[in-house]
Amino acid sequence: MSYTLLLRNCGQLLTLAPTSATGPLAGPDQADWPIITDGYVACVHDRIVALGPMAELDEAQVTAATRVVHAAGRVVLPGLVECHTHLVFGGNRAAEFQRKLRGESYLDILAGGGGILSTVRATRAAPDAELLAAALRHLAGFRRYGITTLEAKSGYGLDAETELRLLRVAREAGRRQPIRVVSTFLGAHVPGPEYPGRPADYLTMLARDVLPQLDPAEVPFVDIFCEEGAFSVAQARDYLTRARELGFGLKIHAEQLHELGGCEMAAALGAISIDHADYLSAAGAARIARATGGRTVAVLLPLVPLFLRQERYAPGRKFIDAGLPVALSTDFNPGSCPSKNLWLALSMACLKMGLTPREALAAVTINAAWAIGQQQQCGSLEPGKRADLLVLDVATAEEIPYWLGENPVRHVIIGGELMADDNGWENA
């Protein structure tokens, strides 16, 4: 069959395809992926079918019906994979941001009924139509930054009814626009306000009343926040064990503020990712890498300490040197990171976590895909994968983190289709 879409004259084609690794890119492999100079990518409908140097392009497959795009020497790479977001919530916390700037602490705001509790109240009160409209607006914003696959956590209902609503809204948002949305159940964000001082009872309720209602085919992952003030390591272990018994993949928010051992515990249970990890030690990272064979991905969230004005960032350089695969995300949420700019997160990972540009690019593509179980569909440019591609307004990969805070995306292609809010394609 002739090509339906052809990108030609790609100055640098960043494949992100592993040269030898069979799992997430770890250690030296995280920077060892091919760049094709003066390349092309050919697609048939929603799949990539061929790529390589322009000299190897089969011009016989290019017909009058082929949409031909001249990348004109620009960088072309896979669509970004956003592997940790809290997509669906009500309201915002801009007023609390002003209070923080005046010096009020998070605990002071929380004691006055603010913080996550204010988002829970707004979310519970919001009708489904309002939550869906907001989620679709956020997804449109993510798409402009080149995100083509996105994980969406629940977690701002903190009761059975609202948590189930949030999952339904996330799935409906995924159906109504082109970004692939992968759902994660984070009912165990913190104990619900009806369970003061009773975190174990709250988890029991979730395990009894909510988890059995979920289909792992629709909600593949269960997550929990293991931290002081949320859930202990022992409580998280029991809850994740039950989730695993029900067929869910596992994730954990851990070591964000203290090194409690949550990351190692979850990895031992087979967690697909350990998220935050700001206080995970290099020794702990090395133990996780050895114990899991490099299959558990550390999802690092550099915009969170930036927004919260914290000094501590996850030691990403040490993680990679220890053989632990690293992915990056924004952690988009109303409290600690109201940003969709994954490019800024990439730059901050280079500046504050010690990643190289090539390592950071792998962290927002193929490793992020592994962190949400989508590595067979996206994250790299390989024949058979979904035709999710970006054309950037830069000439080299090294420029990407250099232009701090800028959005380099010129064109977004999802499933072989040019997104409608992009302009300026050159058709040969």
Side-chain angles (χ1 to χ4, degrees), residues 73 275 336 422:
D275 297 34
S336 61
D422 294 324

Side-chain angles (χ1 to χ4, degrees), residues 208-294:
R208 181 190 65 231
D209 298 342
V210 182
L211 293 186
Q213 295 191 56
L214 304 180
D215 181 354
E218 292 186 336
V219 184
F221 301 110
V222 167
D223 200 342
I224 189 170
F225 185 25
C226 179
E227 186 53 80
E228 292 182 9
F231 302 101
S232 70
V233 173
Q235 290 163 348
R237 179 187 294 111
D238 290 345
Y239 178 72
L240 291 177
T241 299
R242 178 56 180 153
R244 186 177 64 178
E245 291 170 351
L246 292 171
F248 295 97
L250 308 182
K251 290 176 164 288
I252 193 168
H253 288 53
E255 269 68 70
Q256 181 179 0
L257 302 172
H258 306 87
E259 186 166 21
L260 303 180
C263 286
E264 292 193 62
M265 176 276 294
L269 291 178
I272 196 169
S273 75
I274 50 175
D275 297 34
H276 285 288
D278 295 331
Y279 281 77
L280 176 63
S281 67
R287 288 192 294 270
I288 291 170
R290 288 194 299 269
T292 65

Side-chain angles (χ1 to χ4, degrees), residues 18-38:
T19 55
S20 59
T22 57
L25 298 183
D29 287 341
Q30 185 147 350
D32 183 21
W33 41 265
I35 295 179
I36 298 172
T37 302
D38 189 25

